Amino acid sequence: MQKISINGREYGSIEMPQTKAALRVYECVTKAFASRRQIKITLLFSPSKLRALGYYQKGGSRQELEDLELYIELGKILRFNTEDALKLKNSIELTNDIAHNHFNIAKRLTLVNKEKKSSATDTYLFWDIENFSNIGPIFNDLIDKYAIPDHHIYIAANPDSLYLFKDEWEANLYDYGKTLKSFNFTKCDHGKNVADGVLLDHFKQLNLKNADVYVMTFDRELKGLFIDLSDRSNNLFMME
């Protein structure tokens, strides 16, 4: 949580990703608020950028949408008018083909094994791809954002799911210049929770320390096993 303190007065707290983009939005808004300047979305985007956002953008203007969401949340706390931001957000979502698939991964990630993130030397992703029919948000909100290298990404899929969804996964991966073979991908045998077990085995074998570890699954049991096995020095992030 980020405390909002302006001119010696606290206005509350806000959840925000610790990224340069989020900090830029936060600083632009709080500085304008502190100096009692009018707060408009022109603080975030230039006139030429605003015109460009009226057209289709590859990747669905995902970063801009995240900036707008943070701006709108700040507006609720600081009580400034965000109608212009809401209109722009709706326009972007209607213009881009992610309107019905937008699922902000980064905002839903939670540090589950400690209260405060410690320093890390590497970043890893363990991805139960069967849980995510739309894989674009994994790239835009996670892999690209945190610069996770391909050889640190572990993916597993059971044969039935691979048969049903492989073409769809490959088509989505193609947009990012990748295939399943770009990563540590394992085609599993038949059996209950086999893919889950493979991901957990990779995690055990790596014996990671001082790493940021992202576990993309909705399986509660698998989440618990990762937490139990993780070294305390790691920062373990999971979906809420």
Side-chain angles (χ1 to χ4, degrees):
M1 296 291 286
Q2 172 76 41
K3 286 186 178 179
I4 302 174
S5 181
I6 303 173
N7 293 337
R9 177 182 171 185
E10 285 197 9
Y11 289 84
S13 300
I14 189 170
E15 283 191 28
M16 56 181 277
Q18 294 302 302
T19 62
K20 289 182 179 179
L23 291 172
R24 182 185 74 85
V25 173
Y26 179 82
E27 288 177 2
C28 285
V29 169
T30 54
K31 284 180 180 178
F33 188 89
S35 59
R36 297 185 179 180
R37 288 187 286 126
Q38 189 174 21
I39 300 177
K40 291 187 174 182
I41 53 171
T42 48
L43 287 172
L44 306 186
F45 309 120
S46 67
S48 60
K49 180 65 174 179
L50 287 171
R51 285 194 297 272
L53 289 172
Y55 300 90
Y56 174 83
Q57 305 283 314
K58 185 177 180 180
S61 301
R62 194 168 292 275
Q63 183 58 60
E64 289 81 2
L65 283 170
E66 185 169 323
D67 292 347
L68 286 167
E69 287 174 359
L70 177 56
Y71 178 94
I72 291 165
E73 287 302 310
L74 284 166
K76 292 177 183 177
I77 296 170
L78 298 176
R79 297 183 179 179
F80 60 81
N81 191 320
T82 59
E83 186 177 348
D84 54 353
L86 286 165
K87 285 182 179 179
L88 179 59
K89 180 175 179 290
N90 290 336
S91 173
I92 291 172
E93 290 180 335
L94 287 171
T95 302
N96 290 275
D97 59 4
I98 63 158
H100 302 292
N101 295 316
H102 182 57
F103 187 56
N104 192 320
I105 300 293
K107 281 190 70 173
R108 291 166 173 79
L109 286 171
T110 302
L111 182 63
V112 297
N113 66 327
K114 59 182 73 171
E115 291 186 2
K116 188 175 180 181
K117 183 181 181 298
S118 56
S119 61
T121 55
D122 285 308
T123 308
Y124 287 80
L125 168 62
F126 296 86
W127 181 8
D128 185 355
I129 196 171
E130 298 174 20
N131 285 176
F132 300 88
S133 59
N134 179 24
I135 67 175
I138 299 289
F139 275 88
N140 294 307
D141 295 337
L142 189 58
I143 295 173
D144 291 345
K145 176 170 284 189
Y146 298 110
I148 306 176
D150 291 353
H151 65 286
H152 283 184
I153 298 174
Y154 290 81
I155 304 174
N158 291 319
D160 292 339
S161 296
L162 194 63
Y163 174 77
L164 292 171
F165 302 113
K166 183 176 185 292
D167 289 345
E168 181 181 341
W169 293 336
E170 292 283 15
N172 287 330
L173 288 169
Y174 180 80
D175 290 338
Y176 299 91
K178 307 290 184 182
T179 69
L180 287 170
K181 292 180 181 178
S182 300
F183 315 106
N184 297 297
F185 173 71
T186 303
K187 177 184 176 181
C188 303
D189 296 323
H190 285 279
K192 188 178 186 306
N193 296 328
V194 172
D196 298 345
V198 167
L199 291 175
L200 195 67
D201 285 343
H202 284 311
F203 184 60
K204 287 180 187 176
Q205 292 166 15
L206 287 166
N207 192 28
L208 299 176
K209 291 181 174 63
N210 299 308
D212 286 338
V213 179
Y214 295 90
V215 181
M216 290 295 100
T217 182
F218 294 109
D219 188 301
R220 290 183 181 179
E221 183 179 355
L222 184 61
K223 288 180 180 180
L225 292 171
F226 266 92
I227 293 171
D228 291 342
L229 289 171
S230 180
D231 188 88
R232 181 66 181 170
S233 65
N234 295 320
N235 300 303
L236 194 60
F237 294 91
M238 294 180 179
M239 297 284 290
E240 290 179 347

Coordinates of all heavy atoms in Angstrom, one line a residue, residues 95-162:
T95 N -12.6 0.6 -28.5 CA -11.8 0.7 -29.8 C -11.0 -0.5 -30.0 O -10.8 -1.0 -31.1 CB -10.9 2.0 -29.8 OG1 -11.8 3.1 -29.6 CG2 -10.1 2.1 -31.1
N96 N -10.4 -1.0 -28.9 CA -9.5 -2.1 -29.0 C -10.2 -3.5 -28.7 O -11.2 -3.5 -28.0 CB -8.4 -2.0 -27.9 CG -7.4 -0.8 -28.3 OD1 -6.5 -1.0 -29.1 ND2 -7.7 0.3 -27.8
D97 N -9.7 -4.5 -29.3 CA -10.3 -5.8 -29.3 C -10.2 -6.6 -27.9 O -10.5 -7.7 -27.8 CB -9.9 -6.7 -30.4 CG -8.4 -7.0 -30.4 OD1 -7.7 -6.5 -29.4 OD2 -7.9 -7.6 -31.3
I98 N -9.6 -5.9 -26.9 CA -9.5 -6.5 -25.6 C -10.6 -6.1 -24.7 O -10.6 -6.5 -23.5 CB -8.2 -6.2 -24.9 CG1 -8.1 -4.7 -24.6 CG2 -7.0 -6.6 -25.7 CD1 -7.2 -4.3 -23.5
A99 N -11.6 -5.4 -25.3 CA -12.7 -4.9 -24.4 C -13.3 -5.9 -23.5 O -13.7 -5.6 -22.4 CB -13.8 -4.2 -25.3
H100 N -13.5 -7.1 -24.1 CA -14.2 -8.2 -23.3 C -13.2 -9.2 -22.7 O -13.6 -10.1 -22.0 CB -15.2 -8.9 -24.2 CG -16.2 -8.0 -24.7 ND1 -17.2 -7.3 -24.0 CD2 -16.4 -7.5 -26.0 CE1 -17.9 -6.5 -24.8 NE2 -17.5 -6.6 -26.0
N101 N -11.9 -8.9 -22.9 CA -10.9 -9.9 -22.3 C -10.0 -9.2 -21.4 O -9.0 -9.9 -20.9 CB -10.1 -10.5 -23.5 CG -11.0 -11.3 -24.4 OD1 -11.8 -12.1 -24.0 ND2 -10.8 -11.1 -25.7
H102 N -10.2 -7.9 -21.1 CA -9.2 -7.2 -20.2 C -9.2 -7.8 -18.8 O -10.2 -7.8 -18.2 CB -9.5 -5.7 -20.2 CG -8.6 -5.0 -19.4 ND1 -7.2 -5.0 -19.6 CD2 -8.7 -4.2 -18.3 CE1 -6.6 -4.2 -18.8 NE2 -7.5 -3.7 -17.9
F103 N -8.1 -8.3 -18.4 CA -8.0 -8.9 -17.1 C -6.6 -8.5 -16.5 O -5.6 -9.1 -16.9 CB -8.1 -10.4 -17.2 CG -8.1 -11.1 -15.9 CD1 -9.1 -10.8 -15.0 CD2 -7.2 -12.1 -15.6 CE1 -9.1 -11.5 -13.8 CE2 -7.2 -12.8 -14.4 CZ -8.2 -12.5 -13.5
N104 N -6.6 -7.5 -15.7 CA -5.3 -6.9 -15.2 C -4.7 -7.8 -14.2 O -5.0 -7.9 -13.1 CB -5.6 -5.5 -14.6 CG -4.3 -4.8 -14.4 OD1 -3.3 -5.3 -14.0 ND2 -4.3 -3.5 -14.7
I105 N -3.7 -8.6 -14.7 CA -3.0 -9.5 -13.9 C -2.2 -8.8 -12.8 O -2.2 -9.2 -11.6 CB -2.0 -10.4 -14.7 CG1 -2.7 -11.2 -15.8 CG2 -1.2 -11.3 -13.8 CD1 -3.6 -12.3 -15.2
A106 N -1.4 -7.8 -13.2 CA -0.5 -7.1 -12.2 C -1.3 -6.6 -11.0 O -0.8 -6.7 -9.9 CB 0.2 -5.9 -12.9
K107 N -2.5 -6.1 -11.1 CA -3.2 -5.5 -10.0 C -3.7 -6.6 -9.1 O -4.0 -6.3 -7.9 CB -4.4 -4.7 -10.5 CG -4.0 -3.3 -10.9 CD -5.3 -2.4 -11.2 CE -5.9 -2.1 -9.9 NZ -7.0 -1.1 -10.0
R108 N -3.8 -7.8 -9.5 CA -4.3 -8.9 -8.7 C -3.2 -9.8 -8.1 O -3.5 -10.8 -7.4 CB -5.3 -9.8 -9.6 CG -6.6 -9.0 -9.9 CD -7.3 -9.7 -11.0 NE -8.6 -9.1 -11.2 CZ -8.8 -8.0 -11.9 NH1 -7.8 -7.4 -12.4 NH2 -10.0 -7.5 -12.0
L109 N -2.0 -9.5 -8.4 CA -0.9 -10.2 -7.8 C -0.7 -9.8 -6.3 O -0.7 -8.6 -6.0 CB 0.4 -10.0 -8.6 CG 0.5 -10.6 -9.9 CD1 1.8 -10.1 -10.7 CD2 0.6 -12.1 -9.8
T110 N -0.5 -10.8 -5.5 CA -0.3 -10.6 -4.1 C 1.0 -11.3 -3.6 O 1.2 -12.4 -3.9 CB -1.5 -11.1 -3.3 OG1 -2.7 -10.5 -3.7 CG2 -1.3 -10.8 -1.8
L111 N 1.8 -10.6 -2.8 CA 2.9 -11.2 -2.1 C 2.4 -12.0 -1.0 O 1.8 -11.5 0.0 CB 3.9 -10.1 -1.6 CG 5.2 -10.5 -1.0 CD1 6.1 -11.3 -1.9 CD2 5.9 -9.3 -0.4
V112 N 2.6 -13.4 -1.1 CA 1.9 -14.3 -0.2 C 2.8 -14.9 0.9 O 2.3 -15.5 1.9 CB 1.3 -15.4 -0.9 CG1 0.2 -14.9 -1.9 CG2 2.3 -16.3 -1.7
N113 N 4.1 -14.7 0.9 CA 4.9 -15.4 1.9 C 5.6 -14.5 2.8 O 6.4 -14.9 3.7 CB 6.0 -16.3 1.2 CG 7.0 -15.5 0.4 OD1 6.7 -14.4 -0.2 ND2 8.2 -16.0 0.3
K114 N 5.4 -13.2 2.7 CA 6.0 -12.2 3.7 C 5.2 -10.9 3.5 O 4.4 -10.7 2.6 CB 7.5 -12.0 3.4 CG 7.8 -11.5 2.0 CD 9.3 -11.4 1.7 CE 9.9 -12.7 1.6 NZ 11.3 -12.6 1.1
E115 N 5.4 -10.0 4.5 CA 4.7 -8.7 4.5 C 5.3 -7.7 3.5 O 4.6 -6.9 2.9 CB 4.6 -8.1 5.9 CG 3.8 -8.9 6.8 CD 3.6 -8.2 8.2 OE1 4.2 -7.1 8.3 OE2 3.0 -8.8 9.1
K116 N 6.6 -7.7 3.4 CA 7.3 -6.8 2.6 C 8.3 -7.4 1.6 O 9.0 -8.4 2.0 CB 8.1 -5.8 3.5 CG 8.7 -4.6 2.7 CD 9.3 -3.6 3.7 CE 9.9 -2.4 3.0 NZ 10.5 -1.5 4.0
K117 N 8.3 -7.0 0.4 CA 9.2 -7.6 -0.6 C 10.7 -7.3 -0.3 O 11.1 -6.2 0.1 CB 8.9 -7.0 -2.0 CG 9.7 -7.5 -3.2 CD 9.3 -6.8 -4.5 CE 10.0 -7.4 -5.6 NZ 11.5 -7.2 -5.6
S118 N 11.5 -8.3 -0.4 CA 12.9 -8.2 -0.2 C 13.6 -8.1 -1.6 O 13.0 -8.3 -2.6 CB 13.4 -9.4 0.6 OG 13.1 -10.6 -0.1
S119 N 14.9 -7.8 -1.6 CA 15.7 -7.7 -2.8 C 15.8 -9.1 -3.5 O 15.8 -10.1 -2.9 CB 17.1 -7.2 -2.6 OG 17.8 -8.0 -1.7
A120 N 15.8 -9.0 -4.8 CA 15.8 -10.3 -5.6 C 16.9 -10.2 -6.7 O 17.1 -9.1 -7.3 CB 14.5 -10.6 -6.2
T121 N 17.4 -11.3 -7.1 CA 18.4 -11.3 -8.2 C 17.9 -11.9 -9.5 O 18.5 -11.7 -10.5 CB 19.7 -12.1 -7.8 OG1 19.3 -13.4 -7.4 CG2 20.4 -11.4 -6.6
D122 N 16.8 -12.7 -9.4 CA 16.2 -13.3 -10.6 C 14.7 -13.3 -10.5 O 14.1 -13.0 -9.5 CB 16.7 -14.8 -10.7 CG 18.1 -14.9 -11.2 OD1 18.5 -14.3 -12.2 OD2 18.9 -15.6 -10.5
T123 N 14.1 -13.5 -11.7 CA 12.6 -13.6 -11.7 C 12.2 -14.8 -12.5 O 12.8 -15.1 -13.6 CB 12.1 -12.3 -12.5 OG1 12.6 -11.1 -11.9 CG2 10.6 -12.3 -12.4
Y124 N 11.2 -15.5 -12.0 CA 10.8 -16.8 -12.6 C 9.2 -16.8 -12.6 O 8.6 -16.2 -11.8 CB 11.2 -18.0 -11.7 CG 12.7 -18.3 -11.9 CD1 13.6 -17.6 -11.2 CD2 13.1 -19.4 -12.7 CE1 15.0 -17.9 -11.3 CE2 14.5 -19.6 -12.8 CZ 15.4 -18.9 -12.1 OH 16.7 -19.2 -12.3
L125 N 8.7 -17.5 -13.6 CA 7.3 -17.7 -13.8 C 6.9 -19.1 -13.9 O 7.5 -19.8 -14.7 CB 6.8 -16.9 -15.0 CG 5.4 -17.2 -15.5 CD1 4.3 -16.8 -14.4 CD2 5.1 -16.4 -16.8
F126 N 6.0 -19.6 -13.1 CA 5.4 -21.0 -13.2 C 4.0 -20.8 -13.6 O 3.1 -20.3 -12.8 CB 5.6 -21.7 -11.9 CG 7.0 -21.9 -11.5 CD1 7.7 -20.9 -10.8 CD2 7.7 -23.1 -11.9 CE1 9.1 -21.1 -10.5 CE2 9.0 -23.2 -11.6 CZ 9.7 -22.2 -10.9
W127 N 3.6 -21.3 -14.8 CA 2.4 -20.9 -15.5 C 1.5 -22.1 -15.8 O 1.9 -22.9 -16.7 CB 2.8 -20.1 -16.7 CG 1.6 -19.5 -17.5 CD1 0.3 -19.5 -17.2 CD2 1.8 -18.9 -18.8 NE1 -0.4 -18.9 -18.2 CE2 0.5 -18.5 -19.2 CE3 2.9 -18.6 -19.6 CZ2 0.2 -17.9 -20.4 CZ3 2.6 -17.9 -20.8 CH2 1.3 -17.6 -21.2
D128 N 0.4 -22.2 -15.1 CA -0.6 -23.2 -15.5 C -1.4 -22.7 -16.6 O -2.5 -22.1 -16.4 CB -1.4 -23.5 -14.2 CG -2.4 -24.7 -14.5 OD1 -2.5 -25.2 -15.6 OD2 -3.1 -25.1 -13.5
I129 N -1.0 -22.8 -17.8 CA -1.6 -22.2 -19.0 C -3.0 -22.6 -19.2 O -3.8 -21.9 -19.8 CB -0.7 -22.5 -20.3 CG1 -1.1 -21.5 -21.4 CG2 -0.9 -23.9 -20.7 CD1 -0.2 -21.6 -22.6
E130 N -3.4 -23.8 -18.7 CA -4.8 -24.2 -18.9 C -5.8 -23.4 -18.2 O -7.0 -23.4 -18.5 CB -4.9 -25.7 -18.3 CG -4.0 -26.7 -19.1 CD -4.0 -28.0 -18.4 OE1 -5.0 -28.3 -17.7 OE2 -3.1 -28.8 -18.7
N131 N -5.3 -22.6 -17.2 CA -6.2 -21.7 -16.4 C -6.5 -20.4 -17.2 O -7.4 -19.6 -16.7 CB -5.6 -21.3 -15.1 CG -5.7 -22.4 -14.1 OD1 -5.2 -22.3 -13.0 ND2 -6.3 -23.6 -14.4
F132 N -5.8 -20.1 -18.3 CA -5.9 -18.8 -18.9 C -6.2 -19.0 -20.4 O -5.3 -19.2 -21.2 CB -4.6 -18.0 -18.7 CG -4.3 -17.8 -17.3 CD1 -3.5 -18.7 -16.6 CD2 -4.7 -16.7 -16.6 CE1 -3.2 -18.5 -15.2 CE2 -4.4 -16.5 -15.3 CZ -3.7 -17.4 -14.6
S133 N -7.5 -18.8 -20.8 CA -7.8 -18.9 -22.2 C -7.3 -17.8 -23.0 O -6.9 -17.9 -24.2 CB -9.3 -19.0 -22.4 OG -10.0 -17.8 -21.8
N134 N -7.2 -16.6 -22.4 CA -6.6 -15.4 -23.0 C -5.2 -15.2 -22.4 O -5.2 -14.7 -21.3 CB -7.5 -14.2 -22.9 CG -6.9 -13.0 -23.5 OD1 -6.1 -13.1 -24.4 ND2 -7.3 -11.8 -23.0
I135 N -4.2 -15.4 -23.1 CA -2.8 -15.3 -22.6 C -2.2 -14.0 -22.7 O -1.1 -13.7 -22.2 CB -1.9 -16.4 -23.1 CG1 -1.6 -16.1 -24.6 CG2 -2.5 -17.8 -22.9 CD1 -0.6 -17.1 -25.2
G136 N -2.8 -13.1 -23.5 CA -2.3 -11.7 -23.7 C -2.0 -11.0 -22.4 O -0.9 -10.4 -22.3
P137 N -2.9 -11.0 -21.4 CA -2.6 -10.3 -20.2 C -1.3 -10.8 -19.4 O -0.7 -10.1 -18.7 CB -3.8 -10.5 -19.3 CG -4.9 -10.7 -20.3 CD -4.3 -11.5 -21.4
I138 N -1.0 -12.1 -19.6 CA 0.2 -12.6 -18.9 C 1.4 -12.0 -19.5 O 2.4 -11.7 -18.7 CB 0.3 -14.2 -19.1 CG1 -0.9 -14.9 -18.5 CG2 1.6 -14.7 -18.6 CD1 -1.0 -14.9 -17.0
F139 N 1.4 -11.7 -20.8 CA 2.6 -11.0 -21.4 C 2.6 -9.6 -21.0 O 3.6 -9.0 -20.6 CB 2.5 -11.2 -22.9 CG 3.2 -12.5 -23.4 CD1 2.4 -13.7 -23.5 CD2 4.5 -12.5 -23.7 CE1 3.0 -14.8 -23.9 CE2 5.1 -13.7 -24.1 CZ 4.4 -14.9 -24.2
N140 N 1.5 -8.9 -21.3 CA 1.4 -7.4 -21.1 C 1.6 -7.0 -19.6 O 2.3 -6.0 -19.3 CB 0.1 -6.9 -21.7 CG 0.0 -7.0 -23.2 OD1 0.9 -6.7 -23.9 ND2 -1.0 -7.7 -23.6
D141 N 1.0 -7.8 -18.7 CA 0.9 -7.4 -17.3 C 2.0 -8.0 -16.5 O 2.2 -7.7 -15.3 CB -0.4 -7.7 -16.7 CG -1.5 -6.8 -17.3 OD1 -1.2 -5.8 -17.9 OD2 -2.7 -7.2 -17.3
L142 N 2.7 -9.0 -17.0 CA 3.6 -9.8 -16.2 C 5.0 -10.0 -16.9 O 6.0 -9.5 -16.5 CB 3.0 -11.1 -15.8 CG 3.7 -12.0 -14.8 CD1 3.9 -11.3 -13.5 CD2 2.9 -13.3 -14.6
I143 N 5.0 -10.8 -18.0 CA 6.3 -11.2 -18.6 C 7.0 -9.9 -19.1 O 8.2 -9.7 -18.8 CB 6.0 -12.2 -19.8 CG1 5.5 -13.5 -19.2 CG2 7.3 -12.4 -20.5 CD1 5.1 -14.5 -20.2
D144 N 6.3 -9.1 -19.9 CA 7.0 -7.9 -20.4 C 7.3 -6.9 -19.4 O 8.3 -6.3 -19.3 CB 6.1 -7.3 -21.5 CG 6.0 -8.1 -22.8 OD1 6.9 -9.0 -22.9 OD2 5.1 -7.9 -23.6
K145 N 6.3 -6.7 -18.5 CA 6.4 -5.7 -17.4 C 7.6 -6.0 -16.5 O 8.4 -5.0 -16.2 CB 5.2 -5.6 -16.6 CG 5.3 -4.6 -15.4 CD 3.9 -4.4 -14.8 CE 3.1 -3.4 -15.6 NZ 1.9 -3.0 -14.9
Y146 N 7.8 -7.2 -16.1 CA 8.9 -7.6 -15.2 C 10.1 -8.2 -15.9 O 11.0 -8.8 -15.2 CB 8.3 -8.5 -14.1 CG 7.2 -7.8 -13.3 CD1 5.9 -8.2 -13.4 CD2 7.5 -6.7 -12.5 CE1 4.9 -7.5 -12.7 CE2 6.6 -6.0 -11.8 CZ 5.2 -6.5 -11.9 OH 4.3 -5.8 -11.2
A147 N 10.1 -8.2 -17.2 CA 11.2 -8.6 -18.0 C 11.7 -10.0 -17.6 O 12.8 -10.3 -17.4 CB 12.4 -7.7 -17.9
I148 N 10.7 -11.0 -17.6 CA 11.0 -12.4 -17.3 C 11.6 -13.1 -18.5 O 10.9 -13.1 -19.5 CB 9.7 -13.1 -16.8 CG1 9.1 -12.3 -15.6 CG2 10.1 -14.5 -16.3 CD1 7.8 -12.9 -15.1
P149 N 12.8 -13.6 -18.4 CA 13.4 -14.2 -19.6 C 12.7 -15.5 -19.9 O 12.2 -16.2 -19.1 CB 14.9 -14.4 -19.2 CG 14.8 -14.4 -17.7 CD 13.7 -13.5 -17.3
D150 N 12.7 -15.9 -21.2 CA 12.1 -17.1 -21.7 C 12.5 -18.4 -20.9 O 11.7 -19.2 -20.6 CB 12.3 -17.4 -23.2 CG 11.6 -16.3 -24.0 OD1 10.9 -15.5 -23.5 OD2 11.9 -16.3 -25.3
H151 N 13.8 -18.5 -20.6 CA 14.4 -19.7 -20.0 C 14.0 -19.7 -18.5 O 14.3 -20.7 -17.8 CB 15.9 -19.8 -20.2 CG 16.7 -18.7 -19.5 ND1 16.8 -17.4 -20.0 CD2 17.5 -18.8 -18.4 CE1 17.6 -16.7 -19.2 NE2 18.0 -17.5 -18.3
H152 N 13.4 -18.7 -18.0 CA 12.9 -18.7 -16.6 C 11.4 -18.9 -16.5 O 10.8 -18.7 -15.4 CB 13.3 -17.4 -15.9 CG 14.7 -17.3 -15.5 ND1 15.2 -16.2 -14.7 CD2 15.7 -18.1 -15.7 CE1 16.5 -16.4 -14.5 NE2 16.8 -17.6 -15.1
I153 N 10.8 -19.2 -17.6 CA 9.3 -19.4 -17.7 C 9.0 -20.9 -17.8 O 9.5 -21.6 -18.8 CB 8.7 -18.6 -18.8 CG1 8.9 -17.1 -18.6 CG2 7.2 -18.9 -19.0 CD1 8.5 -16.3 -19.8
Y154 N 8.3 -21.5 -16.9 CA 8.0 -22.9 -16.9 C 6.4 -23.1 -17.1 O 5.6 -22.5 -16.4 CB 8.4 -23.6 -15.6 CG 9.9 -23.7 -15.5 CD1 10.6 -22.5 -15.1 CD2 10.6 -24.8 -15.8 CE1 12.0 -22.6 -15.0 CE2 11.9 -24.9 -15.7 CZ 12.7 -23.8 -15.3 OH 14.0 -23.9 -15.2
I155 N 6.1 -23.8 -18.2 CA 4.7 -24.1 -18.5 C 4.5 -25.6 -18.7 O 5.3 -26.3 -19.2 CB 4.4 -23.4 -19.9 CG1 4.7 -21.9 -19.8 CG2 2.9 -23.6 -20.3 CD1 4.5 -21.2 -21.2
A156 N 3.3 -26.0 -18.2 CA 2.9 -27.4 -18.4 C 1.5 -27.5 -18.8 O 0.7 -26.6 -18.4 CB 3.2 -28.2 -17.1
A157 N 1.1 -28.5 -19.6 CA -0.3 -28.7 -20.0 C -0.6 -30.2 -20.1 O 0.3 -31.0 -20.6 CB -0.6 -28.0 -21.3
N158 N -1.7 -30.6 -19.7 CA -2.2 -32.0 -19.8 C -2.6 -32.2 -21.3 O -2.9 -31.3 -22.0 CB -3.3 -32.3 -18.9 CG -2.9 -32.2 -17.4 OD1 -1.8 -32.8 -17.1 ND2 -3.7 -31.6 -16.6
P159 N -2.5 -33.5 -21.8 CA -2.7 -33.8 -23.2 C -4.1 -33.4 -23.7 O -4.3 -32.9 -24.8 CB -2.5 -35.3 -23.3 CG -2.6 -35.8 -21.9 CD -2.1 -34.7 -21.0
D160 N -5.2 -33.5 -22.9 CA -6.5 -33.2 -23.3 C -6.6 -31.7 -23.6 O -7.2 -31.3 -24.6 CB -7.6 -33.6 -22.3 CG -7.7 -35.1 -22.2 OD1 -7.3 -35.8 -23.1 OD2 -8.2 -35.6 -21.1
S161 N -6.1 -30.9 -22.7 CA -6.1 -29.4 -22.9 C -5.2 -29.0 -24.0 O -5.6 -28.1 -24.8 CB -5.6 -28.7 -21.6 OG -6.5 -29.0 -20.5
L162 N -4.1 -29.7 -24.2 CA -3.2 -29.4 -25.3 C -3.9 -29.7 -26.6 O -3.8 -28.9 -27.6 CB -1.9 -30.2 -25.2 CG -0.8 -29.8 -26.1 CD1 -0.3 -28.4 -25.7 CD2 0.4 -30.8 -25.9

